[in-house]
Amino acid sequence: MAEEPVWLTAEEQRVWRSYMHATTLLEDHLDRQLQRDAGMPHIYYGLLVGLAEAPQRRLRMTELAMKAKITRSRLSHAIARLEKNGWVRREDCPSDKRGQFAILTDDGYEVLCRTAPGHVGAVRQALFERLTPEQQKSLGEIMEIVAEGLQPNEAGADLPWLR
């Protein structure tokens, strides 16, 4: 017989629903700001940031998928859209016939530089200005613990960028 699930307590349910409510609203808030200011969704902005922070503004597609925590197929679709905008280009990897690099173009870097101040302002207003320094520290520690528990290191782990 299947074990009876351990249901959430009333307090755990309250915390879980508050978390879901806040993260959904935060993601929507940031997505709307980026659509309004740069015509791109939040996930695309994150990809541009990942490339801007990489040496020579380039990363292998598999590394970029891992950094963005998305599937390779979702990354491929997003990169195709960013290529249409002229913000990213792909290059074959000379040492691996199947591998490709995503490279942030100068136009993409300019868009990122123009968009970053508004995005940082939206993040600051929506999150950091609402929390005390102690709450910010606690939130960071909590999110690190949750992320560590969801990102196993063993071979064969079912992680988005491996799909």
Side-chain angles (χ1 to χ4, degrees):
M1 303 227 20
E3 285 188 39
E4 180 69 22
V6 179
W7 299 107
L8 299 179
T9 66
E11 179 61 11
E12 289 169 336
Q13 190 70 258
R14 184 194 68 74
V15 169
W16 173 245
R17 289 181 180 171
S18 294
Y19 167 81
M20 291 301 297
H21 187 75
T23 57
T24 300
L25 289 173
L26 179 61
E27 185 63 31
D28 180 68
H29 175 73
L30 297 176
D31 214 46
R32 283 184 294 115
Q33 177 269 319
L34 286 164
Q35 287 286 359
R36 183 186 63 241
D37 292 356
M40 76 174 92
H42 193 213
I43 187 74
Y44 291 11
Y45 179 84
L47 295 172
L48 296 180
V49 168
L51 290 170
E53 292 173 344
Q56 300 162 347
R57 300 191 319 214
R58 67 188 298 136
L59 279 175
R60 285 187 62 130
M61 293 283 282
T62 51
E63 290 178 68
L64 187 55
M66 185 169 64
K67 192 174 189 79
K69 310 289 188 258
I70 60 175
T71 63
R72 290 179 284 194
S73 64
R74 185 171 183 200
L75 174 66
S76 185
H77 177 75
I79 293 297
R81 296 286 308 272
L82 292 169
E83 281 180 303
K84 279 185 183 178
N85 291 342
W87 299 343
V88 171
R89 75 176 195 281
R90 289 185 226 209
E91 218 174 73
D92 289 334
C93 179
S95 64
D96 177 2
K97 298 274 187 226
R98 294 180 304 159
Q100 283 192 321
F101 287 100
I103 302 161
L104 183 64
T105 64
D106 290 342
D107 286 348
Y109 187 73
E110 287 177 27
V111 166
L112 185 59
C113 288
R114 280 196 315 268
T115 306
H119 181 65
V120 169
V123 169
R124 184 168 297 290
Q125 177 269 328
L127 185 64
F128 293 103
E129 290 176 2
R130 297 174 186 277
L131 301 175
T132 66
E134 295 79 21
Q135 290 170 322
Q136 291 174 25
K137 183 176 185 229
S138 293
L139 179 62
E141 291 169 351
I142 291 165
M143 292 296 99
E144 285 174 7
I145 291 167
V146 171
E148 284 173 17
L150 293 171
Q151 189 168 315
N153 293 323
E154 68 266 2
D158 185 20
L159 296 166
W161 54 93
L162 299 176
R163 288 184 224 136

